[in-house]
Amino acid sequence: MTPSSKDTQRTALITGAGSGIGAATAHRLAVEGYHVVLTGRRVSALEQVAKRITSGGMTADVRPMDVTDPSAVATVVDDLARCDVLVNNAGGAIGTETVADADPADWRTMFETNVMGALTTTRALLPLLTASGDGTVVIISSTAAFTVYEGGGGYSAAKHAEHALAGTLRLELCGQPVRVVEIAPGMVRTEEFSLNRYRGDADRAAAVYAGVDQPLVAEDIADTVAWTVTRPSHVNVDFLVVRPRAQAAQHKVHRRG
Ligand code: 8X3
């Protein structure tokens, strides 16, 4: 059987590719020459991203997939001929309640999407990533993966768990042709992250970035993903913290005025 061009082209699967960092990363990896597989829950959003990629002469497939549904993940992965790069991006924050006031259902959702989603997708793709002879697992965590702050308990706990997942996986895969890269973004202004965290309150979401001179944008993180995966195979960028210049630490943000 003659392999199709998709079978011979390096392939990257991105979770949460319908918006924000996932969409920007999908576009950027397509520019870098990857055939990109866009996964997420909202088909119309994925199709918009795919349209932008294919209209630029690059290739993309849309595969509806909820990372919290192992059978959906298995269906998508079973259909893939190859996978060289997995970008675990799906996830996010819900709520800003203190631990005392937290709704356990929110914590469960954050663990399901951020942690269990990355675990399920990574486990399903490891055989293909290994078979590629030069695979890379990217985990988009957060600066909340190594620090905590008031009202961020559930998100921070989930991101700490993703950090543990990345570190453990790197140890366990040592000697195999798969790199594990963790990218920890600080303040990134995307259309949905803060809106979800503040449960749709647009004013509170916008206030996060008020007066901040150039918060990061999704393309800045896509740039770091592209840089890490295009290093020579023997170079593993273990852990990359990326913040805007105006944010020196979680609580140290310079605001104008
Ligand atoms: C987002 C960074 O500062 O909101 O992952 O926790 S922060």
Side-chain angles (χ1 to χ4, degrees):
M1 190 170 72
T2 312
S4 75
S5 67
K6 278 186 199 166
D7 298 347
T8 55
Q9 191 180 1
R10 285 175 305 157
T11 296
L13 183 143
I14 301 100
T15 67
S19 68
I21 292 171
T25 298
H27 186 269
R28 177 59 189 272
L29 292 182
V31 169
E32 296 291 337
Y34 287 87
H35 169 67
V36 288
V37 180
L38 315 182
T39 70
R41 287 176 298 185
R42 290 166 302 176
V43 180
S44 61
L46 296 171
E47 281 172 349
Q48 291 278 336
V49 178
K51 197 168 157 195
R52 182 169 163 241
I53 291 169
T54 54
S55 66
M58 300 165 286
T59 66
D61 282 333
V62 167
R63 294 282 181 268
M65 180 183 105
D66 180 343
V67 293
T68 68
D69 178 354
S71 67
V73 174
T75 301
V76 169
V77 171
D78 285 351
D79 205 32
L80 286 181
R82 67 179 288 177
C83 186
D84 304 76
V85 171
L86 161 63
V87 182
N88 284 299
N89 163 73
I94 306 172
T96 55
E97 290 77 15
T98 60
V99 170
D101 289 334
D103 182 345
D106 290 336
W107 281 53
R108 236 172 247 123
T109 301
M110 286 188 274
F111 270 80
E112 282 294 331
T113 53
N114 292 282
V115 187
M116 302 311 290
L119 174 68
T120 301
T121 313
T122 301
R123 287 188 70 234
L125 278 168
L126 269 181
L128 282 179
L129 289 162
T130 307
S132 76
D134 186 14
T136 307
V137 177
V138 179
I139 292 183
I140 307 290
S141 64
S142 166
T143 47
F146 58 87
T147 191
V148 293
Y149 49 94
E150 304 92 325
Y155 180 64
S156 184
K159 288 301 185 183
H160 274 67
E162 272 193 86
H163 180 64
L165 169 63
T168 308
L169 189 61
R170 194 177 303 113
L171 292 173
E172 291 171 353
L173 292 178
C174 186
Q176 297 191 49
V178 182
R179 302 182 285 189
V180 180
V181 174
E182 179 183 354
I183 297 174
M187 183 185 279
V188 185
R189 184 171 202 156
T190 61
E191 58 270 37
E192 291 182 351
F193 178 82
S194 289
L195 204 55
N196 290 336
R197 168 173 271 179
Y198 288 105
R199 306 181 192 281
D201 184 330
D203 291 340
R204 289 184 74 199
V208 170
Y209 313 101
V212 178
D213 187 20
Q214 289 187 292
L216 297 179
V217 293
E219 286 72 19
D220 293 317
I221 304 306
D223 193 38
T224 64
V225 174
W227 180 73
T228 58
V229 304
T230 56
R231 293 312 84 211
S233 308
H234 67 287
V235 178
N236 195 124
V237 180
D238 285 11
F239 185 47
L240 193 58
V241 178
V242 191
R243 302 185 209 258
R245 188 176 55 193
Q247 184 188 37
Q250 212 80 9
H251 287 89
K252 179 75 178 171
V253 178
H254 178 73
R255 295 179 195 271
R256 286 186 305 266

